[in-house]
Amino acid sequence: MLTHSEAFALLNRSDNILILTHRNPDGDAVGSMFALYYLLKNLGKTVRCIIDDVSKSLSFPMAKDAFGDFEPDFIVTVDVADNKLLTNDTLALYGERVDLAIDHHAANKPFSKELLLDSTAAAACEVLYDMIKQAGLEITPDMANSLYLGISTDTGCFRYPNTTARTLLAASELVSAGADNGEINRIVFETKTREYVHFEALAMNSLKTYYDGKCAVLVLRQDMFRKTGVSEEDTHGIAALPRQIEGVLVGIVIKERTDGTYKISMRTNDPVCASDICAVFGGGGHRLAAGCELSGTESEVVSAVLKAVGEELGAI
Amino acid sequence: MLTHSEAFALLNRSDNILILTHRNPDGDAVGSMFALYYLLKNLGKTVRCIIDDVSKSLSFPMAKDAFGDFEPDFIVTVDVADNKLLTNDTLALYGERVDLAIDHHAANKPFSKELLLDSTAAAACEVLYDMIKQAGLEITPDMANSLYLGISTDTGCFRYPNTTARTLLAASELVSAGADNGEINRIVFETKTREYVHFEALAMNSLKTYYDGKCAVLVLRQDMFRKTGVSEEDTHGIAALPRQIEGVLVGIVIKERTDGTYKISMRTNDPVCASDICAVFGGGGHRLAAGCELSGTESEVVSAVLKAVGEELGAI
């Protein structure tokens, strides 16, 4: 395991660097990828990125010239807890060749030559922020906007209990360095399309509770996406809704994919550990926010997840 | 107008202090009242508070021994922009006798002997935080929790554009001083009763848009409160919803009161000024968040508000 300054030294003596992040990219994936991109470009490196489809509201940090054919000499991943979370294409090409992984997931499964892991950081962007600060480098407005995006999205805009005094101090310094927090928050947290408002209402109608109201489940079906015109990558925010209901310890969103598999997003309140439950199905994440994937019919998937939740709740 | 240190000196040489805040108290009203209460108690003062009904989720900072009959020698208001915003009882008894007002509203109408006003602060609690820091006093966990409540609620948990680097730095230091931010956020922002989820769905069904989608209006009727069992003071959060819809510049919530009058909460996006529109009806507030009150039938009230919005939008 590297220190922040060792990781920076390794990046600083490399060139022709390829940055990868996990599939189904969230704000921290996009933000940490482009914060690192701008940092390395400013250091005179040649850098390219590979990223899956990004929700429009999270795409503002992306540099157009960051993409294109490239033979890398050094490969770095950001916010990737396990190389299985890379896209299939990227996994096949680069999955076994990663030189450095920069991450903040306690459940990280090492897959790279070197690892910079700080599981006390709220976001991969907080790890990068610390690395940049310790290296004594200036944070440009592009870097500040990217880092702010990752930190704000991974903390639910500073709502979630992973938000520490350090996280808020980093956010303060990023705003001083030029992060346009008001505008980013407006785009990411305060803007819903009419279609999304419709989608959310449909989804909330599917809400069911189990185990005396301790577990709430929303199912997002393909027909809801079709009916409203909302795309899957625009529904990250919905994962937070079931846990918001009073008395709920385990909030679950089960998303039907086009290939018939299901993606499970789980948010828990203390003392329930989300990553323990998701680990039953080969998934992972954080103590209060984790995910996994299942195959089967909808009712099989719901039953399997509820059984694991019940075992964790000690209710069965 | 006093400086922070002059205001503190004035409080420090007073005793038998009564603290007042505005009616329909929000998180900043409760938070600034009790941050000041704990500060003054720690300085050995005799202190009492008068406050209207407080939403259960905002009540945690309240000290039980802060209330009771009292003949004050010094009266201070917190977060009160105009003495008309005191409850009628408090206005009649103390409205003309206020010694010091501590506030952050740019539209403040002076009514007290002395005034500490910082309209660049996101919350009255941010003004108090600065006053306490400049006085070099320790922030106790009780004070930290109270100040955090006010700052987090007045900024939508750091989402709104009134959140500055200074605001985030204050929040960071409050967490270091013992503010239980994870738990406060869970109670205030992340917990909805099932009744409230039902209420929100009913309210969203009343959503209408005007002026090519630039203005969105929600009407909260007494029958919605009766049908769901939700009480008025628990619906502060709903004011933020209409502005969240893409393209909306003016988001309005019109709340029917039991006495047949209507309370209007307005949230705008740049460049529309909410307090200018609300001022037409004798109301006020901030540039992007303001309020006013109107009498009449629902359709008369909606028409009057829309006319004022239209004039501001230049659409009529």
Side-chain angles (χ1 to χ4, degrees), chain A residues 47-179:
Chain A
V47 196
R48 291 285 185 279
C49 299
I50 298 178
I51 193 164
D52 220 358
D53 288 346
V54 173
S55 165
K56 193 181 147 207
S57 64
L58 303 176
S59 64
F60 62 85
M62 294 169 72
K64 280 180 194 147
D65 55 358
F67 307 101
D69 279 345
F70 188 54
E71 188 44 52
D73 293 324
F74 190 90
I75 301 174
V76 52
T77 63
V78 285
D79 200 37
V80 178
D82 184 334
N83 63 2
K84 290 197 207 80
L85 299 172
L86 296 167
T87 61
N88 293 338
D89 288 355
T90 314
L91 179 62
L93 277 169
Y94 305 113
E96 304 301 323
R97 290 174 52 194
V98 177
D99 296 286
L100 171 65
I102 299 176
D103 191 27
H104 73 118
H105 293 87
N108 182 288
K109 292 184 186 163
F111 57 86
S112 55
K113 288 197 198 91
E114 301 288 352
L115 174 63
L116 169 59
L117 174 66
D118 177 3
S119 64
T120 70
C125 280
E126 195 175 314
V127 183
L128 280 177
Y129 170 84
D130 289 340
M131 186 187 85
I132 296 166
K133 286 289 283 189
Q134 287 181 29
L137 295 170
E138 192 204 349
I139 296 180
T140 63
D142 276 339
M143 287 157 61
N145 280 325
S146 304
L147 293 170
Y148 182 88
L149 173 67
I151 291 176
S152 63
T153 51
D154 259 21
T155 58
C157 210
F158 313 104
R159 284 189 181 187
Y160 303 153
N162 61 349
T163 307
T164 65
R166 227 175 89 201
T167 314
L168 289 160
L169 180 60
S172 172
E173 295 193 3
L174 292 172
V175 171
S176 292

Side-chain angles (χ1 to χ4, degrees), chain A residues 122-275:
Chain A
C125 280
E126 195 175 314
V127 183
L128 280 177
Y129 170 84
D130 289 340
M131 186 187 85
I132 296 166
K133 286 289 283 189
Q134 287 181 29
L137 295 170
E138 192 204 349
I139 296 180
T140 63
D142 276 339
M143 287 157 61
N145 280 325
S146 304
L147 293 170
Y148 182 88
L149 173 67
I151 291 176
S152 63
T153 51
D154 259 21
T155 58
C157 210
F158 313 104
R159 284 189 181 187
Y160 303 153
N162 61 349
T163 307
T164 65
R166 227 175 89 201
T167 314
L168 289 160
L169 180 60
S172 172
E173 295 193 3
L174 292 172
V175 171
S176 292
D180 193 355
N181 63 315
E183 182 64 5
I184 295 174
N185 296 342
R186 193 183 68 73
I187 294 169
V188 176
F189 299 106
E190 292 283 308
T191 304
K192 298 177 176 182
T193 60
R194 284 153 191 261
E195 293 76 21
Y196 184 79
V197 171
H198 183 193
F199 180 85
E200 203 175 80
L202 273 180
M204 289 309 278
N205 281 337
S206 84
L207 185 86
K208 287 189 185 165
T209 60
Y210 303 90
Y211 301 121
D212 289 331
K214 292 193 188 73
C215 177
V217 178
L218 276 187
V219 179
L220 309 184
R221 299 187 186 91
Q222 282 296 321
D223 66 344
M224 296 178 183
F225 293 108
R226 278 194 300 271
K227 198 182 287 181
T228 58
V230 167
S231 63
E232 278 187 60
E233 68 259 26
D234 292 333
T235 60
H236 283 296
I238 223 155
L241 298 185
R243 185 181 57 183
Q244 288 183 351
I245 295 164
E246 198 172 35
V248 168
L249 292 175
V250 185
I252 300 171
V253 171
I254 297 179
K255 195 187 285 186
E256 182 189 10
R257 291 224 180 91
T258 47
D259 63 4
T261 63
Y262 290 85
K263 180 180 185 331
I264 283 78
S265 298
M266 190 172 293
R267 301 287 182 273
T268 57
N269 279 323
D270 272 322
V272 182
C273 179
S275 60

